[in-house]
Amino acid sequence: MKLLAAWALAALVPASSLPSGITAVIHKPQYAHSSWYLLVSDLQTSKPIYERNSNRLAFTGSVRKLFSVGLALDALGANHRFVTPVYRRGSDLILVASGDLTLGGRRTPNGSIAVTDFDHNDANNLGTAILTPQDPLTGLNQLAVQVREAGIRRVTGDVIVDDRLFQPYRVPNGNLLVTPVIVNENLIDVWVTPGSPGRPAHVDWRPKTPAFTVRASVRTVPAGQAAQIQLSNDGDVTCIGSASCAGTISGTIPIGYKAPLSASATLVRTFRIEDPASFARIAFIAALKRVGVAVSAKPVARNASGNLPAPNSYVPRARVASYVSPPYADYAKLILKISLNLGANLSLSLFGLTHGERTITGSLAAEKTVLVRTMGIAPGDVDFPTNGSGSPDSRAAARATVQMLLKMSRGSNAAAYRSALPILGVDGSLSQTGRALPSRGHVYAKTGTTLENGNLKAQVLAGYIDAKSGRRLAFALYVNDAGAMRSIEDVTNVFDDEAQIVNAVYESN
């Protein structure tokens, strides 16, 4: 008998009827015009347990990151570390970008990566963030110290950042720019706390470099009023390299301010750097100056990438410094716990490099090949046309997502993959969801949300369940077209409904 692919075999096995705890949610009046997709399978046998529309393509939102990060984990290895070197080349000093997502900016004393439940990458969208305490310039500062220790006291030429590892590109979700060099995830963090009524609020920012300055015009207003905050140029910073590059934060903040979701007393917003290589160059020159290394070149200027030597022409004896990252498994945890779009797209590019691809188009093609040939996913069950992070156009059948989860659970990186997922009611993007449910702490799952013109295009949850009986499961749960969302609380209500469905699976197995 000819063997069937895993996806085809699963389609032939009848699944049990859905428990009432699931049907009670999907038949709510608010979902009358929504589409639900579900597959729950036994982790050991791969046998389907519950199924609804599992063979149909649906929008994934950020659950798409399960694919991009999973393949990067397998291609790079959980223990892979990024090495960012600095070379002396004639009279120039060249920092060669390696695709290090944090460049030391989140590194804790024990060498791991700091993560908060409300990350600064979501500050402008969610209206809340809790900043990690680490200095975003840590990696550049350590490189500068090593340069001095190598005996260099003056750079008579230029300082240049080599960002040719892969071809930078933009993705549709927020027009995000993905580049090989990254400092503070290419963000400027700004935090605001109230002062006295009618007086200016307290405003500060990081990282502080000669590249960019924040101008503040935020006034404190009486308690009970809503915070009204605006960023100049919608938060985009396009002036890096000019001597007067600055952004303005303006508006009002009330006494007793509490951020949505986190209830933090500090308001956080971010500016996004649109020229990361030039920003890194300026910040690195400033770091060199702090340790006593003089640079003759203009300290605030655009990165002179046109003056770089031929790629791969660097020789080991010319290396004067290097920064070594934490293992990629820690980056996978950062990306999946907080749904970091930049990290997922960077992971896709790093995966592509292992297949000789330096463009986003080539990386997507290589990914599709591996998903089909290695992961056993049906070719028509995934459609990832533009990016590695999900929104707005990534689609996958629920059975494709479960197949990915099953395959990863049997590989050498299974533990790193599972531990990178948010835990229901405990941490990451699921920290505030399902905290009172019996399944709290027993569900490890990636969340995905896509909002389009105020409508919830997709709300998705997929991962692993350690069921009440001890049975271990893989699942994918999607709802598409869930209707108009008037506030972030409306979105969290849909999250809660999906948590109820997952809890029903936990309880019934």
Side-chain angles (χ1 to χ4, degrees), residues 193-197 220-225 227 253-259 263-267:
T193 54
S196 302
T220 307
V221 296
Q225 298 187 31
I253 186 171
I255 295 291
Y257 170 80
K258 296 293 182 184
S264 170
T266 301
L267 182 147

Side-chain angles (χ1 to χ4, degrees), residues 402-428:
V402 168
Q403 175 64 15
M404 182 72 185
L405 291 161
L406 292 172
K407 193 72 173 179
M408 289 299 299
S409 74
R410 293 163 188 155
S412 59
N413 297 302
Y417 189 64
R418 177 187 172 95
S419 66
L421 296 173
I423 303 173
L424 185 70
V426 175
D427 66 11

Side-chain angles (χ1 to χ4, degrees), residues 448-478:
T449 304
T450 299
L451 283 163
E452 191 173 84
N453 299 321
N455 293 306
L456 189 56
K457 185 176 179 179
Q459 183 62 64
V460 188
L461 195 60
Y464 303 108
I465 302 172
D466 291 341
K468 188 174 182 178
S469 67
R471 191 180 191 183
R472 304 186 76 181
L473 313 171
F475 79 97
L477 171 65
Y478 304 22

Side-chain angles (χ1 to χ4, degrees), residues 135-160:
D135 182 356
L137 299 175
T138 296
L140 295 179
N141 289 338
Q142 291 188 15
L143 287 170
V145 169
Q146 291 180 45
V147 169
R148 180 179 170 84
E149 290 175 345
I152 298 174
R153 296 295 182 270
R154 175 174 290 277
V155 179
T156 58
D158 201 356
V159 173
I160 312 174

Side-chain angles (χ1 to χ4, degrees), residues 336-424:
L336 295 182
K337 288 285 187 187
I338 66 172
S339 203
L340 181 55
N341 290 334
L342 178 62
N345 286 292
L346 180 64
S347 295
L348 175 59
S349 291
L350 295 170
F351 161 80
L353 289 172
T354 67
H355 290 262
E357 300 291 348
R358 296 185 61 254
T359 67
I360 180 61
T361 301
S363 295
L364 286 165
E367 179 188 48
K368 181 67 174 286
T369 297
V370 173
L371 289 177
V372 173
R373 295 181 181 177
T374 304
M375 294 297 173
I377 293 171
D381 277 2
V382 289
D383 178 27
F384 301 148
T386 62
N387 69 87
S389 53
S391 297
D393 52 13
S394 295
R395 299 186 300 161
R399 68 181 180 185
T401 303
V402 168
Q403 175 64 15
M404 182 72 185
L405 291 161
L406 292 172
K407 193 72 173 179
M408 289 299 299
S409 74
R410 293 163 188 155
S412 59
N413 297 302
Y417 189 64
R418 177 187 172 95
S419 66
L421 296 173
I423 303 173
L424 185 70

Side-chain angles (χ1 to χ4, degrees), residues 240-378:
I240 297 297
S242 66
S244 58
C245 186
T248 300
I249 182 168
S250 59
T252 60
I253 186 171
I255 295 291
Y257 170 80
K258 296 293 182 184
L261 300 178
S262 68
S264 170
T266 301
L267 182 147
V268 178
R269 294 292 185 271
T270 57
F271 288 93
R272 183 169 295 281
I273 301 299
E274 291 296 302
D275 185 353
S278 294
F279 183 84
R281 173 196 179 269
I282 297 167
F284 187 37
I285 290 175
L288 290 166
K289 181 179 179 181
R290 285 193 293 272
V291 298
V293 178
V295 177
S296 299
K298 192 175 180 180
V300 177
R302 298 289 297 276
N303 187 55
S305 56
N307 295 335
L308 288 168
N312 303 317
S313 67
Y314 303 104
V315 294
R317 67 177 180 274
R319 182 184 291 194
V320 295
S322 64
Y323 179 81
V324 181
S325 78
Y328 179 73
D330 286 357
Y331 287 123
K333 183 175 292 186
L334 167 65
I335 296 164
L336 295 182
K337 288 285 187 187
I338 66 172
S339 203
L340 181 55
N341 290 334
L342 178 62
N345 286 292
L346 180 64
S347 295
L348 175 59
S349 291
L350 295 170
F351 161 80
L353 289 172
T354 67
H355 290 262
E357 300 291 348
R358 296 185 61 254
T359 67
I360 180 61
T361 301
S363 295
L364 286 165
E367 179 188 48
K368 181 67 174 286
T369 297
V370 173
L371 289 177
V372 173
R373 295 181 181 177
T374 304
M375 294 297 173
I377 293 171

Side-chain angles (χ1 to χ4, degrees), residues 433-496:
T433 304
R435 299 177 75 175
L437 294 175
S439 54
R440 179 189 183 190
H442 300 285
V443 178
Y444 305 77
K446 182 71 194 74
T447 58
T449 304
T450 299
L451 283 163
E452 191 173 84
N453 299 321
N455 293 306
L456 189 56
K457 185 176 179 179
Q459 183 62 64
V460 188
L461 195 60
Y464 303 108
I465 302 172
D466 291 341
K468 188 174 182 178
S469 67
R471 191 180 191 183
R472 304 186 76 181
L473 313 171
F475 79 97
L477 171 65
Y478 304 22
V479 61
N480 281 187
D481 302 316
M485 300 287 116
R486 295 163 297 179
S487 66
I488 192 66
E489 285 74 19
D490 287 346
V491 178
T492 60
N493 288 338
V494 180
F495 256 111
D496 291 339

